Amino acid sequence: MSKRRGFVFPSSEIYGGTPAGAVRKPRTGARTTPRTRKARLRVAKADPWSVMKVSFLLSIALGICTIVAAAVLWMVMDAMGVFSTVGGTISEATGSNESNGFDLQSFLSLPNVLLFTSIIAVIDVVLATALATLGAFIYNLSAGFVGGVELTLAEDE
């Protein structure tokens, strides 16, 4: 028995390689252009619970990125000597004979910067999650009136 194109022809050895009654189609070598299927879909409802979960996770990721970026930026600026140069200029400008003036280096220390950045990141997580969930509720209300957002999706074969 021989196998051709996924089919088993039991009589192929008997009739010299081609089954009885089989017609071969000529192959031209030129491929036809791929057909593109299109579908029009409508987003009628956004589940507020799933929107809240996704926005919470994305807000946490953004908060972590913000904290890491602030730490890296502080380390680069400290290595360049920005804080000591600007701090010296500010303490000379604000100082008098009795006091040394404002100490920028102690105010902008790494723990203080990371604490402030963490507070901002936590506030951002809460606000972004709440606003995204509120946006899902508002979208559901408006989609009830106008039908939602229509999308056209295409699939290449």
Side-chain angles (χ1 to χ4, degrees):
M1 282 198 190
S2 67
K3 230 179 174 187
R4 287 192 183 172
R5 296 186 189 172
F7 297 109
V8 176
F9 300 107
S11 60
S12 62
E13 288 91 24
I14 299 170
Y15 297 150
T18 58
V23 178
R24 284 190 116 171
K25 292 183 181 176
R27 297 189 74 177
T28 60
R31 295 187 72 188
T32 61
T33 59
R35 196 181 80 185
T36 302
R37 293 189 325 176
K38 291 184 179 180
R40 290 183 58 114
L41 300 174
R42 186 170 42 101
V43 181
K45 183 178 186 271
D47 184 31
W49 179 249
S50 65
V51 169
M52 186 185 76
K53 290 188 291 187
V54 170
S55 66
F56 178 72
L57 289 177
L58 290 176
S59 298
I60 293 238
L62 181 66
I64 290 171
C65 290
T66 303
I67 292 170
V68 169
V72 168
L73 184 64
W74 187 91
M75 289 179 199
V76 167
M77 290 177 70
D78 189 46
M80 289 173 43
V82 171
F83 296 125
S84 60
T85 305
V86 174
T89 304
I90 289 178
S91 67
E92 285 178 14
T94 59
S96 61
N97 292 339
E98 299 87 35
S99 66
N100 292 336
F102 181 70
D103 189 14
L104 182 69
Q105 289 177 328
S106 66
F107 182 71
L108 290 180
S109 64
L110 182 60
N112 285 348
V113 169
L114 290 182
L115 177 69
F116 180 71
T117 306
S118 299
I119 291 170
I120 295 297
V122 167
I123 291 171
D124 176 53
V125 166
V126 171
L127 284 178
T129 304
L131 287 175
T133 307
L134 181 65
F137 279 114
I138 292 172
Y139 177 79
N140 289 339
L141 286 174
S142 64
F145 291 123
V146 296
V149 175
E150 290 189 10
L151 302 172
T152 301
L153 303 176
E155 176 187 17
D156 292 333
E157 288 185 7

